[in-house]
Amino acid sequence: MNIATDTLDAWIGRSETFQDTITTAPFVALTATLDYPAAEAPAGTTLPPLWHWLYFLPKHRQSDIGADGHARRGGFMPPVPLPRRMWAGSQFTFHTPIRVGDTVARTSTIDDVSTKEGRTGKLVFVKVRHELRCNGATDPALVEFHDIVYREAQGPNDVAPPPQAAAQGAWRREIVPDDVLLFRYSALTFNGHRIHYDRQYVTQVEGYPGLIVHGPLIATLLMDLLRRQLPGADVASFRFKAVRPTFDLHPFHVNGELQADGKTVRLWASDHEGWLTMDATATLR
């Protein structure tokens, strides 16, 4: 497929700003989804790292949704002519807390667009920078870089990337990614991407063996593991990279361990066969 890189490059620098209020209901709903006891979240409650994904939800009209469940391309996102879209990874810097009751402005900017040739054909990477500012502040409370990869359709001769063996961490928790967990997270983030809930679509159209567990859900579970093991830890930065898709067909594990410096936490997810599926690092203050 011929991809007009000049056309895609024109999207670099495009920006949009939205405002949202950090309300209680999504906070309480994700608390339940992550299997914590019922809890309240009064004004002033600090939002755990990555829970900002519960806000600034996409609100595209139904008529603007494409065949894959995402908004049609060519608005804020560049019109990449490749059918498969995945969340490849993200990098975060947490400057100041975001709290329930805050009014937050999020400015999103297309930071970069690049094209590469992969084992299975063309790849297009889009990097989006998000800056979140609370209550009219000038400096951002949170800066996030979001990496999105677009791929060609599944081909009959596609070969999966060679797997990487994952060790068992000092911290380890088994996760059962059933249909209900995937549905609840899709609903909480208003994510219409059909690969997470439409088994016929994901297997017959995109060629995967099962429903795909959301990359941000796995990242949230990794950060949740850190919270369970180090209650009250103050996270300064976090980054994750998706290595292999995780499917709903088997349980998987989130793993972690505090490094010798006492500030670096290595986190990773592994599938039922012990292969690495997500690699991540958190830095504590």
Side-chain angles (χ1 to χ4, degrees):
M1 175 182 292
N2 185 29
I3 297 177
T5 55
D6 290 347
T7 299
L8 299 182
D9 286 347
W11 258 253
I12 296 175
R14 184 166 296 202
S15 182
E16 62 181 14
T17 299
F18 291 103
Q19 184 170 291
D20 205 349
T21 301
I22 307 303
T23 53
T24 299
F27 188 111
V28 173
L30 184 56
T31 298
T33 300
L34 296 180
D35 207 30
Y36 285 98
E40 296 182 357
T45 301
T46 298
L47 205 64
L50 308 189
W51 287 34
H52 67 285
W53 284 332
L54 301 177
Y55 305 92
F56 305 100
L57 304 184
K59 299 178 179 67
H60 305 288
R61 296 176 58 185
Q62 186 68 18
S63 57
D64 291 334
I65 300 299
D68 63 355
H70 275 302
R72 300 182 191 277
R73 298 162 194 172
F76 172 68
M77 294 298 293
V80 180
L82 296 173
R84 300 166 79 186
R85 168 177 166 164
M86 300 292 289
W87 193 313
S90 288
Q91 308 88 46
F92 307 84
T93 304
F94 304 98
H95 295 287
T96 57
I98 299 173
R99 296 184 171 91
V100 173
D102 284 349
T103 298
V104 183
R106 187 189 72 179
T107 299
S108 303
T109 305
I110 304 296
D111 195 68
D112 189 42
V113 181
S114 60
T115 303
K116 298 181 182 178
E117 192 74 31
R119 293 184 318 278
T120 59
K122 296 286 186 182
L123 300 172
V124 174
F125 294 88
V126 178
K127 183 180 284 288
V128 183
R129 177 187 176 99
H130 301 291
E131 295 182 344
L132 277 65
R133 293 176 171 82
C134 299
N135 305 316
T138 301
D139 296 329
L142 167 63
V143 177
E144 171 187 0
F145 288 94
H146 174 193
D147 297 318
I148 306 163
V149 60
Y150 296 86
R151 302 175 180 270
E152 295 188 29
Q154 178 86 2
N157 299 319
D158 284 1
V159 178
Q164 305 176 44
Q168 181 170 320
W171 312 336
R172 185 172 172 87
R173 184 175 179 225
E174 183 179 85
I175 306 296
V176 178
D178 60 22
D179 299 39
V180 178
L181 175 62
L182 270 59
F183 168 79
R184 294 179 86 179
Y185 191 77
S186 285
L188 276 169
T189 54
F190 204 41
N191 184 348
H193 199 182
R194 294 170 67 181
I195 63 174
H196 303 303
Y197 62 86
D198 187 335
R199 195 172 304 276
Q200 182 176 356
Y201 171 84
V202 76
T203 56
Q204 297 184 15
V205 176
E206 298 218 8
Y208 294 106
L211 297 177
I212 297 177
V213 182
H214 315 65
L217 172 57
I218 299 173
T220 298
L221 288 165
L222 290 174
M223 288 299 298
D224 182 62
L225 179 68
L226 186 156
R227 290 179 62 220
R228 291 171 187 265
Q229 295 294 327
L230 300 175
D234 188 3
V235 179
S237 65
F238 177 67
R239 63 175 52 237
F240 73 88
K241 179 182 179 181
V243 179
R244 290 169 65 87
T246 298
F247 303 103
D248 72 327
L249 305 174
H250 305 278
F252 67 94
H253 289 91
V254 287
N255 303 268
E257 51 193 27
L258 182 64
Q259 303 299 291
D261 63 6
K263 289 186 174 294
T264 304
V265 180
R266 184 175 172 238
L267 298 157
W268 67 98
S270 53
D271 65 18
H272 66 291
E273 295 181 304
W275 302 124
L276 181 69
T277 58
M278 181 172 286
D279 199 15
T281 302
T283 304
L284 308 181
R285 286 192 176 84

